[in-house]
Amino acid sequence: MSIIAIPKQKKLHRFITTLPGSISPGTIAMLYFKRWTIEKAFNNSKSNLKETKAWSSDNNSLKNQMRLTAMSYNLLRSAT
């Protein structure tokens, strides 16, 4: 585990990571940003679409639920 620091607009952002040291700090920051964007999208879809339960424990059903939720979320976003 390591801590990397990345300066951005007069602020110093620190990330704790288990990624190898051969990966540049900028790449690690971009990966964190992309992951955070995905997390926010799922959180918004759960909030806006009231998705609180899985429809099934079957893997294919869960994948279909995720796809339908993502499509519904995107349609609602594009309509507003």
Side-chain angles (χ1 to χ4, degrees):
M1 190 177 321
S2 62
I3 298 175
I4 62 163
I6 300 171
K8 185 176 180 186
Q9 297 177 355
K10 299 181 182 180
K11 286 188 176 182
L12 189 62
H13 297 276
R14 291 184 180 91
F15 300 94
I16 298 173
T17 184
T18 56
L19 294 172
S22 60
I23 299 175
S24 74
T27 301
I28 292 172
M30 182 54 65
L31 290 172
Y32 272 86
F33 172 76
K34 287 182 178 186
R35 179 178 176 168
W36 183 246
T37 303
I38 292 167
E39 293 281 341
K40 286 189 337 189
F42 276 114
N43 188 37
N44 287 341
S45 69
K46 280 174 44 177
S47 301
N48 297 343
L49 300 174
K50 309 293 188 244
E51 279 296 318
T52 57
K53 289 185 174 181
W55 297 340
S56 169
S57 60
D58 177 60
N59 197 28
N60 285 332
S61 296
L62 292 173
K63 286 180 183 178
N64 286 335
Q65 181 180 1
M66 289 189 322
R67 287 183 188 115
L68 287 170
T69 301
M71 289 185 332
S72 300
Y73 177 73
N74 287 331
L75 283 170
L76 287 174
R77 274 187 30 194
S78 65
T80 56

